[in-house]
Amino acid sequence: MRGVSTRAPALCTRMVPSSGAHATRQVASHAIAVGDRLPSAAFKYFDTEGNMKEVDTEALCKGKKVVIFAVPGAFTPTCSLKHLPGFVDRADEIKAKGVDTIACLSVNDAFVMDAWGKSVGAGDKIMLLADGNAVFTKACGVELDLTDKGLGIRSRRFSMLVDDQVVKVLNLEEGGAFTVSSADSILEALTASA
């Protein structure tokens, strides 16, 4: 299946704060892979009545089939012109395949995600989740360092199918590419698994 990770994830190391004023320690991390359970994290979002809410990965995915797709940034060209609109346009077809929720994730705040969703007409088709501090993104090992472009740490672009908190399909892009994480790719995977 195109874009689906079937091999063991690549290991990498990174420096993280440790105890002491300037101490760091090296830890091994890898990108989330098919068969992995989603890490625990909480997201902010606005409901259809305009109230800010919080949902964690367990409440979002336990006992449900969920499509999560991530973008490097709201209001950026590829994200706004192709990625999110593709899922908005194909949401009914995706949900007809047994998907309970479609969620778009970005390392942005909930206000930006809400405004972005309204600007593309996402309505109640797509849940726009803010991973404001990149907690989920980092726990999944999919962070993308765009500090040289003034954007800080963001998420790599991906789409995944999650069934009861376990990743069943993962379409993970390299850098900011948009080749395998589209709504069409998720629909192909859902059709193949039916």
Side-chain angles (χ1 to χ4, degrees):
M1 205 177 310
R2 189 180 84 199
V4 176
S5 173
T6 56
R7 58 183 160 64
L11 291 177
C12 61
T13 59
R14 61 188 165 132
M15 302 303 283
V16 296
S18 187
S19 43
H22 299 287
T24 59
R25 63 185 169 90
Q26 214 171 19
V27 296
S29 65
H30 61 80
I32 195 164
V34 171
D36 289 351
R37 186 176 185 83
L38 287 184
S40 179
F43 310 101
K44 298 285 188 187
Y45 71 99
F46 281 91
D47 65 15
T48 54
E49 288 81 41
N51 300 306
M52 186 182 285
K53 302 282 187 175
E54 183 173 286
V55 65
D56 62 21
T57 48
E58 183 175 349
L60 181 66
C61 301
K62 187 173 185 177
K64 300 174 191 164
K65 190 180 284 190
V66 178
V67 168
I68 300 172
F69 68 100
V71 298
F75 292 107
T76 57
T78 302
C79 305
S80 295
L81 298 173
K82 296 179 182 176
H83 209 173
L84 177 56
F87 277 95
V88 172
D89 292 344
R90 308 298 296 268
D92 292 337
E93 293 171 76
I94 292 169
K95 289 182 178 178
K97 300 279 186 186
V99 171
D100 298 294
T101 303
I102 305 169
C104 177
L105 173 92
S106 186
V107 180
N108 283 110
D109 64 67
F111 296 98
V112 168
M113 294 299 285
D114 185 54
W116 186 42
K118 288 175 181 171
S119 78
V120 298
D124 62 356
K125 292 182 176 187
I126 311 292
M127 189 176 204
L128 289 133
L129 301 176
D131 185 19
N133 294 317
V135 172
F136 179 80
T137 298
K138 290 176 182 176
C140 288
V142 295
E143 61 266 35
L144 177 63
D145 188 348
L146 296 176
T147 53
D148 64 326
K149 294 176 178 43
L151 299 172
I153 301 299
R154 298 299 179 116
S155 175
R156 286 170 61 187
R157 188 181 309 279
F158 67 80
S159 62
M160 65 170 66
L161 174 63
V162 178
D163 193 352
D164 196 21
Q165 303 181 77
V166 175
V167 178
K168 298 297 183 180
V169 174
L170 176 63
N171 303 312
L172 182 60
E173 304 279 6
E174 289 300 321
F178 182 56
T179 57
V180 298
S181 62
S182 68
D184 290 337
S185 294
I186 285 292
L187 271 169
E188 286 176 23
L190 287 164
T191 301
S193 68

